[in-house]
Amino acid sequence: MQHFEESVYKLIVETSTNLPGDVREVIQAAQEVEDSATRAGLSLSTIATNIEMAENNVSPICQDTGMPTFVVHTPVGANQMIMKSQIRSAIARATKDGKLRTNSVDSLTGANTGDNLGPGTPVIHFEQWEKDDIDVRLILKGGGCENKNIQYSLPTELEGLGKAGRDLDGIRKCIMHAVYQAQGQGCSAGFIGVGIGGDRTTGYELAKQQLFRHTQDTNPNNELRQLEEYVMENANKLGIGTMGFGGEVSLLGCKVGVMNRLPASFFVSVAYNCWAYRRQGVLLNSASGEIKEWIYPSGTGTPMKLKSAEAAVEAVAEHQEESREIVLQTPITEEQVRSLKVGDIVTINGEMHTGRDALHKHLMDHDAPIDLNGAVIYHCGPVMMKDQAGEWHVKAAGPTTSSREEPYQGTIIKKFGIRAVIGKGGMGAKTLAALQEHGAVYLNAIGGAAQYYARCIKKVNGVDFMEFGIPEAMWHLQTKGFTAIVTMDAHGNSLHANVEQDSFAKLSQFKDPVFS
């Protein structure tokens, strides 16, 4: 087993940096359905550009490399303690090499371990089987989509759908509601794994196990096959679209599994995964630990034949009446912001500052380390690497889910004179009111496009609050050509609220029974 650790390291790197071929094919099909001259079409073109950049740069597709979760099948007699130790070593090495973001934090203190190791991280599930080889599978599921996981206890009442009973039709309603409630916050269009039955814990485990299935497989259970086909046919009628911008494609895959349950409990658990569907596996020789084959089709040599993001920006601006292309240099004035409206495509040049949960909480009661009047705050936890000269470089820098900052954002905008906030998934009524009152704007970047946005960052000007850990620190970044879409403006308009309202109205068409 002298090659086991190296094989696991290769698995981690491949999973983080290169989407499998079956996932690429699904995204390609989505692009063919979506009108390229729409915000959703622009999003898919940016996603395609990002996928190729990540492969070419051997860098993370998305900066949020999530909670590494391994499922390992071993022959009888294999030493699982040694395997666990070597998996942990491979995780630490991949983190040091910038293939994983430092994501493991103490739940009580918030302190970042810096190596992705700690109690419960990474997650490793061992199972014995009768085969001679070792099967190691890994999924990297980011926090944004993990937060959109949902579990239902049947019977229940679902908004827009009515009563969901303890039957196949009740399960159907739960799945449709799960897609609706995710909106764009889980980096749609996404994939879902569904677990029927079990208890609260095993139901979620079963749901996540479904995400290891091939995108084009067929469920051997006829009822579940029909359910999967129904969801794929109808979930896209909700009109949520890529990034929640509205559009034809809201869901890219649905896989359902079932297990027995207690008579008193009936759980339907849904694991939502973003478009950056990072899962891969290897079959290893049990004697040497060398890789015999890759479980999922390799994405290498499978180019995304999609329109470039730059061409897509031009197409949207040309064909969408509500869209304009606008270039802004930081610091931004109130007059510039109030001239913007929902649908405008904005390109930012100049310095912007990252800020996530720890920074927003801190700024509520403290001064900022720099002048933020007219500034841009980017909801981002980048992957950073320091070179031999001690200079920091951005390896991946896509947006994080903005809704977590809703309790703070409005106050901070007004307190410090911030004129623009960049993130993904939109924000709520309190932030929208602050944008209107103060004269600020929310810009939606494309979730998961960590390589696409990293190339827009030309220099790291400095950093504050490193004690919060690299993802939560306040990085001061010099940018050029950073493009995002106005989805909440200073006039009280919110694209996110409009899409959610529209999709809720469409949800009611699925209220009537389908499966008897």
Side-chain angles (χ1 to χ4, degrees), residues 370-401:
I370 58 170
D371 183 7
L372 292 176
N373 188 43
V376 175
I377 292 292
Y378 184 24
H379 294 162
C380 172
V383 177
M384 306 294 293
M385 292 284 288
K386 186 181 284 188
D387 62 22
Q388 293 182 347
E391 296 289 328
W392 286 104
H393 298 276
V394 179
K395 304 300 291 183
T400 194
T401 303

mmCIF file of all heavy atoms in Angstrom, residues 370-401:
data_model
loop_
_atom_site.group_PDB
_atom_site.id
_atom_site.type_symbol
_atom_site.label_atom_id
_atom_site.label_comp_id
_atom_site.label_asym_id
_atom_site.label_seq_id
_atom_site.Cartn_x
_atom_site.Cartn_y
_atom_site.Cartn_z
ATOM 1 N N ILE A 370 -9.644 50.401 7.224
ATOM 2 C CA ILE A 370 -9.387 51.322 6.118
ATOM 3 C C ILE A 370 -10.650 52.135 5.847
ATOM 4 O O ILE A 370 -11.727 51.798 6.339
ATOM 5 C CB ILE A 370 -8.976 50.587 4.824
ATOM 6 C CG1 ILE A 370 -10.074 49.608 4.417
ATOM 7 C CG2 ILE A 370 -7.640 49.861 4.991
ATOM 8 C CD1 ILE A 370 -9.887 49.011 3.057
ATOM 9 N N ASP A 371 -10.524 53.182 5.058
ATOM 10 C CA ASP A 371 -11.670 54.003 4.670
ATOM 11 C C ASP A 371 -12.507 53.240 3.647
ATOM 12 O O ASP A 371 -12.025 52.881 2.577
ATOM 13 C CB ASP A 371 -11.173 55.323 4.074
ATOM 14 C CG ASP A 371 -12.323 56.263 3.705
ATOM 15 O OD1 ASP A 371 -13.487 55.943 4.030
ATOM 16 O OD2 ASP A 371 -12.050 57.309 3.080
ATOM 17 N N LEU A 372 -13.765 53.001 3.972
ATOM 18 C CA LEU A 372 -14.656 52.244 3.096
ATOM 19 C C LEU A 372 -15.684 53.129 2.382
ATOM 20 O O LEU A 372 -16.600 52.610 1.751
ATOM 21 C CB LEU A 372 -15.383 51.156 3.899
ATOM 22 C CG LEU A 372 -14.511 49.999 4.419
ATOM 23 C CD1 LEU A 372 -15.341 49.047 5.277
ATOM 24 C CD2 LEU A 372 -13.853 49.256 3.273
ATOM 25 N N ASN A 373 -15.535 54.426 2.470
ATOM 26 C CA ASN A 373 -16.472 55.310 1.795
ATOM 27 C C ASN A 373 -16.346 55.144 0.273
ATOM 28 O O ASN A 373 -15.275 55.324 -0.298
ATOM 29 C CB ASN A 373 -16.205 56.765 2.179
ATOM 30 C CG ASN A 373 -17.286 57.708 1.661
ATOM 31 O OD1 ASN A 373 -18.473 57.405 1.741
ATOM 32 N ND2 ASN A 373 -16.878 58.837 1.122
ATOM 33 N N GLY A 374 -17.442 54.776 -0.370
ATOM 34 C CA GLY A 374 -17.423 54.532 -1.809
ATOM 35 C C GLY A 374 -16.863 53.184 -2.205
ATOM 36 O O GLY A 374 -16.629 52.926 -3.392
ATOM 37 N N ALA A 375 -16.667 52.319 -1.215
ATOM 38 C CA ALA A 375 -15.979 51.048 -1.462
ATOM 39 C C ALA A 375 -16.914 49.959 -1.959
ATOM 40 O O ALA A 375 -18.146 50.062 -1.915
ATOM 41 C CB ALA A 375 -15.277 50.583 -0.190
ATOM 42 N N VAL A 376 -16.292 48.872 -2.422
ATOM 43 C CA VAL A 376 -16.983 47.648 -2.845
ATOM 44 C C VAL A 376 -16.595 46.533 -1.887
ATOM 45 O O VAL A 376 -15.406 46.275 -1.672
ATOM 46 C CB VAL A 376 -16.598 47.258 -4.281
ATOM 47 C CG1 VAL A 376 -17.233 45.920 -4.653
ATOM 48 C CG2 VAL A 376 -16.998 48.339 -5.274
ATOM 49 N N ILE A 377 -17.582 45.891 -1.290
ATOM 50 C CA ILE A 377 -17.360 44.719 -0.442
ATOM 51 C C ILE A 377 -17.727 43.466 -1.244
ATOM 52 O O ILE A 377 -18.819 43.380 -1.821
ATOM 53 C CB ILE A 377 -18.203 44.781 0.845
ATOM 54 C CG1 ILE A 377 -17.702 45.899 1.760
ATOM 55 C CG2 ILE A 377 -18.168 43.441 1.584
ATOM 56 C CD1 ILE A 377 -16.332 45.654 2.365
ATOM 57 N N TYR A 378 -16.818 42.517 -1.266
ATOM 58 C CA TYR A 378 -17.010 41.273 -2.011
ATOM 59 C C TYR A 378 -17.202 40.133 -1.030
ATOM 60 O O TYR A 378 -16.307 39.816 -0.255
ATOM 61 C CB TYR A 378 -15.795 41.034 -2.906
ATOM 62 C CG TYR A 378 -15.870 39.830 -3.828
ATOM 63 C CD1 TYR A 378 -17.067 39.284 -4.235
ATOM 64 C CD2 TYR A 378 -14.696 39.252 -4.315
ATOM 65 C CE1 TYR A 378 -17.120 38.198 -5.088
ATOM 66 C CE2 TYR A 378 -14.729 38.167 -5.179
ATOM 67 C CZ TYR A 378 -15.945 37.638 -5.554
ATOM 68 O OH TYR A 378 -15.995 36.562 -6.407
ATOM 69 N N HIS A 379 -18.378 39.514 -1.054
ATOM 70 C CA HIS A 379 -18.636 38.346 -0.218
ATOM 71 C C HIS A 379 -17.860 37.169 -0.807
ATOM 72 O O HIS A 379 -18.336 36.471 -1.698
ATOM 73 C CB HIS A 379 -20.130 38.021 -0.191
ATOM 74 C CG HIS A 379 -20.956 39.072 0.470
ATOM 75 N ND1 HIS A 379 -22.322 39.168 0.292
ATOM 76 C CD2 HIS A 379 -20.630 40.075 1.322
ATOM 77 C CE1 HIS A 379 -22.795 40.179 0.998
ATOM 78 N NE2 HIS A 379 -21.784 40.750 1.634
ATOM 79 N N CYS A 380 -16.676 36.953 -0.316
ATOM 80 C CA CYS A 380 -15.777 35.954 -0.907
ATOM 81 C C CYS A 380 -14.788 35.464 0.134
ATOM 82 O O CYS A 380 -14.240 36.256 0.909
ATOM 83 C CB CYS A 380 -15.019 36.581 -2.089
ATOM 84 S SG CYS A 380 -13.705 35.538 -2.779
ATOM 85 N N GLY A 381 -14.558 34.165 0.150
ATOM 86 C CA GLY A 381 -13.503 33.566 0.966
ATOM 87 C C GLY A 381 -12.507 32.895 0.039
ATOM 88 O O GLY A 381 -12.656 31.725 -0.305
ATOM 89 N N PRO A 382 -11.496 33.613 -0.432
ATOM 90 C CA PRO A 382 -10.619 33.109 -1.492
ATOM 91 C C PRO A 382 -9.672 32.004 -1.031
ATOM 92 O O PRO A 382 -9.444 31.813 0.167
ATOM 93 C CB PRO A 382 -9.823 34.357 -1.895
ATOM 94 C CG PRO A 382 -9.770 35.172 -0.632
ATOM 95 C CD PRO A 382 -11.089 34.949 0.049
ATOM 96 N N VAL A 383 -9.150 31.285 -2.016
ATOM 97 C CA VAL A 383 -8.013 30.393 -1.783
ATOM 98 C C VAL A 383 -6.766 31.211 -2.069
ATOM 99 O O VAL A 383 -6.602 31.742 -3.173
ATOM 100 C CB VAL A 383 -8.065 29.160 -2.701
ATOM 101 C CG1 VAL A 383 -6.819 28.288 -2.494
ATOM 102 C CG2 VAL A 383 -9.330 28.350 -2.433
ATOM 103 N N MET A 384 -5.891 31.317 -1.068
ATOM 104 C CA MET A 384 -4.703 32.173 -1.179
ATOM 105 C C MET A 384 -3.439 31.343 -1.012
ATOM 106 O O MET A 384 -3.399 30.398 -0.225
ATOM 107 C CB MET A 384 -4.739 33.271 -0.120
ATOM 108 C CG MET A 384 -6.004 34.110 -0.115
ATOM 109 S SD MET A 384 -6.220 35.115 -1.589
ATOM 110 C CE MET A 384 -4.874 36.281 -1.419
ATOM 111 N N MET A 385 -2.402 31.719 -1.747
ATOM 112 C CA MET A 385 -1.089 31.077 -1.622
ATOM 113 C C MET A 385 -0.024 32.161 -1.523
ATOM 114 O O MET A 385 -0.115 33.197 -2.197
ATOM 115 C CB MET A 385 -0.809 30.195 -2.833
ATOM 116 C CG MET A 385 -1.699 28.968 -2.938
ATOM 117 S SD MET A 385 -1.236 27.664 -1.787
ATOM 118 C CE MET A 385 0.284 27.095 -2.534
ATOM 119 N N LYS A 386 0.977 31.918 -0.698
ATOM 120 C CA LYS A 386 2.090 32.859 -0.545
ATOM 121 C C LYS A 386 3.314 32.302 -1.261
ATOM 122 O O LYS A 386 3.661 31.123 -1.112
ATOM 123 C CB LYS A 386 2.402 33.079 0.937
ATOM 124 C CG LYS A 386 3.451 34.147 1.193
ATOM 125 C CD LYS A 386 3.727 34.310 2.682
ATOM 126 C CE LYS A 386 2.601 35.070 3.370
ATOM 127 N NZ LYS A 386 2.972 35.390 4.785
ATOM 128 N N ASP A 387 3.959 33.152 -2.088
ATOM 129 C CA ASP A 387 5.143 32.690 -2.821
ATOM 130 C C ASP A 387 6.390 32.796 -1.957
ATOM 131 O O ASP A 387 6.336 33.213 -0.780
ATOM 132 C CB ASP A 387 5.304 33.455 -4.144
ATOM 133 C CG ASP A 387 5.525 34.954 -3.944
ATOM 134 O OD1 ASP A 387 5.962 35.367 -2.850
ATOM 135 O OD2 ASP A 387 5.258 35.724 -4.900
ATOM 136 N N GLN A 388 7.539 32.435 -2.516
ATOM 137 C CA GLN A 388 8.778 32.408 -1.755
ATOM 138 C C GLN A 388 9.213 33.796 -1.295
ATOM 139 O O GLN A 388 9.937 33.943 -0.306
ATOM 140 C CB GLN A 388 9.885 31.760 -2.591
ATOM 141 C CG GLN A 388 9.657 30.277 -2.863
ATOM 142 C CD GLN A 388 10.793 29.640 -3.645
ATOM 143 O OE1 GLN A 388 11.639 30.337 -4.199
ATOM 144 N NE2 GLN A 388 10.815 28.312 -3.689
ATOM 145 N N ALA A 389 8.749 34.817 -2.012
ATOM 146 C CA ALA A 389 9.092 36.192 -1.649
ATOM 147 C C ALA A 389 8.145 36.752 -0.593
ATOM 148 O O ALA A 389 8.284 37.908 -0.176
ATOM 149 C CB ALA A 389 9.083 37.081 -2.889
ATOM 150 N N GLY A 390 7.168 35.959 -0.180
ATOM 151 C CA GLY A 390 6.221 36.401 0.832
ATOM 152 C C GLY A 390 5.019 37.151 0.288
ATOM 153 O O GLY A 390 4.241 37.716 1.067
ATOM 154 N N GLU A 391 4.841 37.139 -1.045
ATOM 155 C CA GLU A 391 3.709 37.825 -1.659
ATOM 156 C C GLU A 391 2.507 36.879 -1.772
ATOM 157 O O GLU A 391 2.654 35.719 -2.146
ATOM 158 C CB GLU A 391 4.083 38.330 -3.062
ATOM 159 C CG GLU A 391 5.180 39.382 -3.076
ATOM 160 C CD GLU A 391 4.705 40.722 -2.522
ATOM 161 O OE1 GLU A 391 3.503 41.030 -2.709
ATOM 162 O OE2 GLU A 391 5.517 41.429 -1.904
ATOM 163 N N TRP A 392 1.326 37.414 -1.459
ATOM 164 C CA TRP A 392 0.107 36.627 -1.566
ATOM 165 C C TRP A 392 -0.425 36.631 -2.994
ATOM 166 O O TRP A 392 -0.354 37.655 -3.684
ATOM 167 C CB TRP A 392 -0.973 37.170 -0.632
ATOM 168 C CG TRP A 392 -0.753 36.872 0.816
ATOM 169 C CD1 TRP A 392 -0.307 37.734 1.773
ATOM 170 C CD2 TRP A 392 -0.992 35.627 1.473
ATOM 171 N NE1 TRP A 392 -0.239 37.107 2.995
ATOM 172 C CE2 TRP A 392 -0.665 35.812 2.841
ATOM 173 C CE3 TRP A 392 -1.457 34.379 1.051
ATOM 174 C CZ2 TRP A 392 -0.786 34.794 3.774
ATOM 175 C CZ3 TRP A 392 -1.568 33.363 1.983
ATOM 176 C CH2 TRP A 392 -1.243 33.570 3.331
ATOM 177 N N HIS A 393 -0.986 35.496 -3.413
ATOM 178 C CA HIS A 393 -1.595 35.377 -4.735
ATOM 179 C C HIS A 393 -2.947 34.674 -4.597
ATOM 180 O O HIS A 393 -3.112 33.764 -3.779
ATOM 181 C CB HIS A 393 -0.690 34.585 -5.685
ATOM 182 C CG HIS A 393 0.635 35.233 -5.922
ATOM 183 N ND1 HIS A 393 0.830 36.217 -6.852
ATOM 184 C CD2 HIS A 393 1.837 35.034 -5.306
ATOM 185 C CE1 HIS A 393 2.101 36.607 -6.830
ATOM 186 N NE2 HIS A 393 2.730 35.907 -5.897
ATOM 187 N N VAL A 394 -3.905 35.114 -5.397
ATOM 188 C CA VAL A 394 -5.256 34.553 -5.362
ATOM 189 C C VAL A 394 -5.314 33.342 -6.286
ATOM 190 O O VAL A 394 -5.062 33.446 -7.481
ATOM 191 C CB VAL A 394 -6.291 35.600 -5.803
ATOM 192 C CG1 VAL A 394 -7.688 34.994 -5.783
ATOM 193 C CG2 VAL A 394 -6.228 36.825 -4.909
ATOM 194 N N LYS A 395 -5.671 32.189 -5.743
ATOM 195 C CA LYS A 395 -5.786 30.967 -6.532
ATOM 196 C C LYS A 395 -7.223 30.672 -6.957
ATOM 197 O O LYS A 395 -7.452 30.006 -7.961
ATOM 198 C CB LYS A 395 -5.233 29.779 -5.739
ATOM 199 C CG LYS A 395 -3.794 29.946 -5.260
ATOM 200 C CD LYS A 395 -2.837 30.132 -6.425
ATOM 201 C CE LYS A 395 -2.684 28.875 -7.252
ATOM 202 N NZ LYS A 395 -1.696 29.038 -8.329
ATOM 203 N N ALA A 396 -8.181 31.168 -6.199
ATOM 204 C CA ALA A 396 -9.598 30.964 -6.526
ATOM 205 C C ALA A 396 -10.401 31.991 -5.742
ATOM 206 O O ALA A 396 -10.113 32.234 -4.564
ATOM 207 C CB ALA A 396 -10.045 29.544 -6.169
ATOM 208 N N ALA A 397 -11.418 32.605 -6.390
ATOM 209 C CA ALA A 397 -12.084 33.725 -5.714
ATOM 210 C C ALA A 397 -13.502 33.969 -6.216
ATOM 211 O O ALA A 397 -13.831 35.066 -6.657
ATOM 212 C CB ALA A 397 -11.257 35.001 -5.872
ATOM 213 N N GLY A 398 -14.366 32.955 -6.147
ATOM 214 C CA GLY A 398 -15.766 33.157 -6.491
ATOM 215 C C GLY A 398 -16.552 33.672 -5.304
ATOM 216 O O GLY A 398 -16.061 33.707 -4.172
ATOM 217 N N PRO A 399 -17.815 34.082 -5.528
ATOM 218 C CA PRO A 399 -18.632 34.662 -4.454
ATOM 219 C C PRO A 399 -19.204 33.604 -3.521
ATOM 220 O O PRO A 399 -19.432 32.464 -3.924
ATOM 221 C CB PRO A 399 -19.757 35.361 -5.213
ATOM 222 C CG PRO A 399 -19.924 34.510 -6.447
ATOM 223 C CD PRO A 399 -18.531 34.072 -6.824
ATOM 224 N N THR A 400 -19.435 33.995 -2.271
ATOM 225 C CA THR A 400 -20.136 33.145 -1.329
ATOM 226 C C THR A 400 -21.587 33.600 -1.233
ATOM 227 O O THR A 400 -21.962 34.659 -1.741
ATOM 228 C CB THR A 400 -19.470 33.183 0.064
ATOM 229 O OG1 THR A 400 -19.977 32.107 0.862
ATOM 230 C CG2 THR A 400 -19.725 34.504 0.771
ATOM 231 N N THR A 401 -22.421 32.803 -0.583
ATOM 232 C CA THR A 401 -23.839 33.114 -0.459
ATOM 233 C C THR A 401 -24.034 34.334 0.433
ATOM 234 O O THR A 401 -23.592 34.352 1.585
ATOM 235 C CB THR A 401 -24.603 31.915 0.118
ATOM 236 O OG1 THR A 401 -24.375 30.777 -0.721
ATOM 237 C CG2 THR A 401 -26.087 32.187 0.185
#
